[in-house]
Structure formats: C-alpha cells, structure tokens
Amino acid sequence: MQKLIKEAGALVSLDTNPCKMCMPMGVVNAAYGVSRCMTILHGSQGCSTYIRRHMATHYNEPIDIASSALTEQGTVYGGEANLKKGIDNLIKLYDPEVITIATTCLAETIGEDVPRILSSWREENSESEVTLIPVASPGYGGTQFEGYFRFLHALVAHTEFDETPNARLNIVSGPMSPADMRYLKDLVAGFGIDAIFLPDGSDALDGAHMQE
C-alpha cells in the first residue's frame, strides 16, 4: 500500500509493509494463483527460506516452497541429482498437478540446464502426468515483478491449452493483492461475465474468511 502524505509542505512517498524482493519470489507469488501448483526453487535452502519468511510475514499465513537444497558439492558438480530428488519428494508429499521449477542466483551462475534436466526426469518418470514449468529467474535478474511475468510467459509456453471456443473471458492479471483480485472478480461477476482469471491467488493467499 502506498500513501502520499504532506509533511513540511512536501509530498513524501510512504510504503507500508512492502512486498518487494527478488525474481524467484515473483514466480512463487504468481504460481500460487494456479490451481494445484507447487513451486520448487533450484538453489540453496536459504532462497526458499527467506522468500517463505518474507511472504509469510506479508500475507500473515504459512507459505510452502520446496527447495533442491544445493550444497557445495552440487555447486561444483551440478545439481541434477538434487533437483530430480526434490521433484520426487514434492510429488510424494503434495501430489500436485503442476510443478514450477524456478532457478535462483546459484543455479543460473553455475549454468544449470534445467530444461534438459526436466526432460531427463520425464524420461525416467514417463508414467507421471504432472506438468513441469521451468522458469529462468535469477535473483539478480530483476525484482519480483519481472519474476511474475517470467512465470506467466513460461506457463503459456509449457502448457497445453484447450482451444475449443467458449463464451468465457480470459483475464490475465498483473501483480495485485488478493483483495484487489477479489474485488475485480466481484466486479466482473456483477456484469454477468463468466471469466477465467490467470493467475488467481485470491483464494490461496491473504487468509480471507469466506462464507464457503
């Protein structure tokens, strides 16, 4: 939330509880708006820990983010084994339909070929129907806002869409609060429009108390 206040005759910009960090957090934030989607960060445990803490204090509720837990050995010899094992554990614990694999500073710096690793994992787990979405999101590449749109681009690039014509309206949203998303959904519903919002984190974040 941003307010403009008058102080000593000048306008001063005041940020209240800003939720601004690095690119991977934007990926996580956007991925929370996709049904049955979990995110694993390919990097050190600290990346998921700090982002999880930052989002938990902002949204006042626990946030789940997995990690491939790269160590010194993985940094030198590559983290393929870590990432594959992390995906396997994620599926066993959460049974997601979609998994977002977001890189971090460490994975990008050592040049991890995540799409190739995921292709190898798919060959080893051909029976799995989970959708894998790789997102190149080094923390030094931008803020959470760039990461948010990186995820949207990756989602469209790695997901098969039903192209059958229908009467629904597709609304692709930018970074907004869950409260703003709920207001937008109510506004669209008030016009009698059946719409699909992408992403839609209004039911997954912010801990709103709904009637149902």
Side-chain angles (χ1 to χ4, degrees):
M1 181 186 297
Q2 190 174 57
K3 298 178 181 178
L4 291 178
I5 60 175
K6 284 188 176 182
E7 181 177 341
L11 289 177
V12 179
S13 179
L14 174 65
D15 286 327
T16 303
N17 191 20
C19 187
K20 183 176 181 180
M21 204 174 175
C22 58
M23 196 179 282
M25 192 178 79
V27 175
V28 172
N29 209 340
Y32 255 87
V34 176
S35 178
R36 292 182 60 85
C37 177
M38 280 292 297
T39 302
I40 180 171
L41 297 184
H42 188 31
S44 65
Q45 288 182 322
C47 293
S48 61
T49 299
Y50 287 129
I51 293 176
R52 192 165 58 238
R53 184 202 62 80
H54 195 78
M55 291 185 67
T57 56
H58 185 83
Y59 293 113
N60 297 316
E61 61 180 312
I63 303 294
D64 292 329
I65 307 172
S67 172
S68 62
L70 274 181
T71 60
E72 291 86 349
Q73 182 176 353
T75 303
V76 175
Y77 297 106
E80 179 172 351
N82 287 60
L83 181 55
K84 288 181 177 179
K85 185 175 181 180
I87 294 174
D88 291 338
N89 291 336
L90 185 59
I91 293 175
K92 291 178 182 178
L93 289 172
Y94 294 96
D95 189 28
E97 292 182 2
V98 182
I99 297 179
T100 300
I101 301 91
T103 58
T104 60
C105 298
L106 181 56
E108 289 289 339
T109 300
I110 65 177
E112 284 283 78
D113 189 351
V114 173
R116 184 201 62 77
I117 296 175
L118 298 184
S119 178
S120 175
W121 183 91
R122 179 66 70 187
E123 292 177 0
E124 299 168 0
N125 300 270
S126 57
E127 75 286 351
S128 177
E129 297 181 355
V130 66
T131 299
L132 303 177
I133 303 176
V135 185
S137 53
Y140 50 73
T143 67
Q144 71 185 65
F145 299 101
E146 285 82 6
Y148 188 99
F149 292 109
R150 281 278 184 97
F151 169 79
L152 291 181
H153 184 274
L155 179 65
V156 173
H158 295 90
T159 305
E160 294 184 6
F161 287 84
D162 184 0
E163 299 181 0
T164 305
N166 56 63
R168 307 184 76 180
L169 178 66
N170 293 322
I171 298 179
V172 180
S173 64
M176 63 173 60
S177 71
D180 287 337
M181 175 59 72
R182 286 191 288 270
Y183 175 78
L184 179 61
K185 290 168 67 176
D186 290 341
L187 186 65
V188 172
F191 283 97
I193 299 174
D194 186 9
I196 298 174
F197 294 84
L198 182 69
D200 178 10
S202 61
D203 294 329
L205 296 172
D206 200 30
H209 296 282
M210 314 298 288
Q211 291 183 352
E212 297 181 359

